[in-house]
Amino acid sequence: MSGFDFAPRALPPSLGALRPFDRTLARWVLANGGSNALAEIAALAAFAEAQGHACLVPGLPGVPAFDPSLLDAAAGDPMLGDGGTPTPFVRDADDRIYLWRNFRHEQVAAAHLARRRAAAAPPSPEALAPDLAVLFGGAAQQADPLQRAAVAAVAGRRFVLLTGGPGTGKTTTVLRMLLLLARRTPGVPPRIALAAPTGKAAQRLAESLREGKARLAADLPADWQALLPGVNEGEATTVHRLLGWHPALDRWRHGPGDPLPHDVVVVDEASMLDLAMLRALLDALRPEATVVLVGDAEQLGSVGAGSVLADLVAALAHDDRGDLVRLSRVFRASAPLAGISAAVGAGDTTALRAALDAAGPAASIEAIGTAAAQRHALHGWADAIAAGWPRVGPDPRDPDAPAQAAAALAALRRMQLLCALREGPFGADAANALLVERLRDRFGVAGRGTSFGGRALLVTHNDHARRLYNGDVGLELEAPDGRVWAWFPARAGDGGAGARAIAPAALPPHAAAFALTVHKSQGSEYDAVAVLLPPDAAHPILGRELLYTAVSRARERLCLWATPAALDACLARAPRRGGGLRERLAQASAALD
């Protein structure tokens, strides 16, 4: 906002309920000659951004209603432009109101994607047929045609979008994509970057690729097996670390002037990408590099502004270019749970009840609306954890310790309680306190220390020196000498797969992880999941995306702890975020045709 002055001015009374930042922005507009109408619009646009919307339009969820006549009242204000030149605020041809940065993010991202799509030069199906036959090997008769289409789509393209629900084989498909690209670039293997928006999602991507490589290796001939090490899943990282964010300089290391060196960049859990991150990623790619976005468009959107994955899927859904592939066939053994996810995604109450019934013992629902009912349920959950949960681990000095601890870490994927909220009586913090209390009693843990063998923990702040990052999950195990160590999955540079030990006193800020928020669980899957919703049906956290994300984390068993009113509220609230990325991509693509 450089170039404008600031002085306090009276605000329109309608802005009293907004955040201090929004009201400050309104005062800034007034102090620099803007109208009351523009001040109100600007404050509402800033508030809308904080709710995840890229722009302001009437009727957005979570945003106060405003009179559309304000748009005409603000017309002609020099601070409100049409996007042709930089102005603090933009009103586009469809009457969407943007802060300049979000308008520019959409504009630049759409132009990048349009150029990448236009540069596609896919080989003929006949040219790919021998490679696809090897990649799908003995499973040719059972192979999903959409998986084959997705693998074929990556050849000769600079952009591919792969989406699908839980258990549809997205990560296995990505692995085959990468092997196909490596096979088609003989000599110097392609430089591959693997990333996700969060550390937890990146960790899960690495685990899934490692497991996929182990399964696929036996079906590949020797010359194809030689390509597997090039998929270095141990180097999977967050998008922030891939692009090299400099907090002190407030900029990225990699961008148009210093692009990423990689030939292929895969971003998993792309539903968590916001507009700013999408633009930064696309800015940092070399023109000839291939980017593959992977995710489930039904999941929770980003914390920041925009609904990137959902918008891109909608933009490409009726396009015949072949760079969007939607997987639908469920391969997971717990296919009955897929019906529950599908019903939630559709917002169909009748279908959800039928899917819960059809799932049999794999799913249950219990109305929990009181503190007493919640405590009873949590005690039962803690008792199930205590039965067979690992508590004793190896001495970190033992050469076999990393492999032994890695086996124990598998317990973290057996059971997980997911909460819609972090704070409050039905939040993850309160649930963790009750679970820890019960588990300490069941484990016979004496004293008042926080650490004990069997405690699952979640890192909440980055610690670059120890290579622990916000979202990393570990497990404390008691060594033979009685000391407790916190074990985490190994990262690249730790000498391969396995685990590494950190003394609890050396850990960065962290919390118990027996209960996680649904947001924190994105990118993970668990054998058994319990989902706890607040009983207040009017709570703004409740929504279809949140419930879908929660239930789709379960592989084998799902427990829904929700009152009928809360469940109905989730299904009734369809996701809607203000933004124009879909239309801008269509326009940019049409301009290049």
Side-chain angles (χ1 to χ4, degrees), residues 165-499:
T168 53
K170 294 188 293 294
T171 307
T172 303
T173 302
V174 167
L175 176 57
R176 288 187 168 106
M177 285 178 166
L178 296 176
L179 292 176
L180 178 69
L181 290 174
R183 180 71 173 185
R184 296 183 64 82
T185 54
V188 179
R191 291 163 294 183
I192 297 171
L194 304 168
T198 67
K200 188 173 178 61
Q203 179 180 314
R204 179 56 190 154
L205 172 62
E207 292 170 353
S208 297
L209 286 171
R210 188 178 300 117
E211 293 166 358
K213 287 166 68 172
R215 290 193 301 268
L216 193 58
D219 295 327
L220 294 175
D223 54 339
W224 281 81
Q225 290 183 22
L227 302 175
L228 287 170
V231 183
N232 190 356
E233 72 283 351
E235 295 182 1
T237 186
T238 64
V239 180
H240 272 84
R241 292 200 292 277
L242 177 67
L243 300 182
W245 175 247
H246 285 294
L249 301 177
D250 193 29
R251 65 177 178 84
W252 303 100
R253 173 189 172 189
H254 293 290
D258 184 13
L260 291 166
H262 304 93
D263 303 299
V264 186
V265 176
V266 176
V267 178
D268 197 16
E269 297 297 337
S271 62
M272 291 189 274
L273 284 178
D274 60 25
L275 263 181
M277 185 62 71
L278 175 68
R279 179 192 173 176
L281 173 68
L282 296 172
D283 274 345
L285 296 173
R286 294 182 298 118
E288 63 272 22
T290 297
V291 60
V292 181
L293 300 184
V294 186
D296 185 346
E298 302 291 340
Q299 284 190 33
L300 278 168
S302 62
V303 174
S307 50
V308 164
L309 187 62
D311 287 347
L312 293 181
V313 169
L316 307 183
H318 304 294
D319 195 309
D320 61 358
R321 297 179 192 235
D323 45 14
L324 166 67
V325 180
R326 284 197 262 199
L327 303 179
S328 56
R329 180 178 171 186
V330 178
F331 291 87
R332 189 181 293 163
S334 56
L337 296 184
I340 296 172
S341 297
V344 172
D348 191 328
T349 303
T350 301
L352 176 59
R353 298 291 178 182
L356 286 168
D357 290 340
S364 63
I365 183 168
E366 182 178 354
I368 293 183
T370 66
Q374 180 193 23
R375 188 177 186 88
H376 177 76
L378 290 176
H379 279 182
W381 189 257
D383 292 346
I385 292 175
W389 190 261
R391 295 187 53 220
V392 176
D395 186 323
R397 296 168 295 184
D398 188 327
D400 296 327
Q404 295 173 21
L409 284 171
L412 296 172
R413 286 186 276 165
R414 292 181 199 159
M415 298 178 63
Q416 186 62 62
L417 170 64
L418 302 180
C419 302
L421 301 169
R422 183 174 67 86
E423 300 176 336
F426 288 85
D429 290 349
N432 267 315
L434 284 168
L435 290 170
V436 167
E437 175 188 46
R438 179 73 167 188
L439 287 168
R440 288 176 68 92
D441 180 65
R442 291 298 306 270
F443 291 159
V445 177
R448 296 182 175 273
T450 57
S451 293
F452 59 88
R455 185 175 73 124
L457 53 88
L458 173 76
V459 175
T460 56
H461 287 75
N462 293 338
D463 185 336
H464 296 281
R466 293 177 177 83
R467 290 174 297 125
L468 291 174
Y469 302 99
N470 183 18
D472 285 352
V473 175
L475 179 64
E476 290 182 332
L477 298 172
E478 184 177 324
D481 61 2
R483 297 179 64 188
V484 173
W485 293 87
W487 289 89
F488 291 87
R491 294 190 184 276
D494 292 329

Side-chain angles (χ1 to χ4, degrees), residues 89-103:
F89 312 102
V90 175
R91 178 184 181 181
D92 73 3
D94 294 306
D95 287 338
R96 290 181 285 247
I97 302 296
Y98 289 86
L99 305 181
W100 170 258
R101 61 170 173 253
N102 289 330
F103 176 80

Side-chain angles (χ1 to χ4, degrees), residues 368-369 421 426 533-542 562-563 565-567 569-570 573:
I368 293 183
L421 301 169
F426 288 85
L533 299 181
D536 179 10
H539 199 293
I541 194 70
L542 298 177
T563 62
L567 199 58
C570 282
R573 294 177 190 166

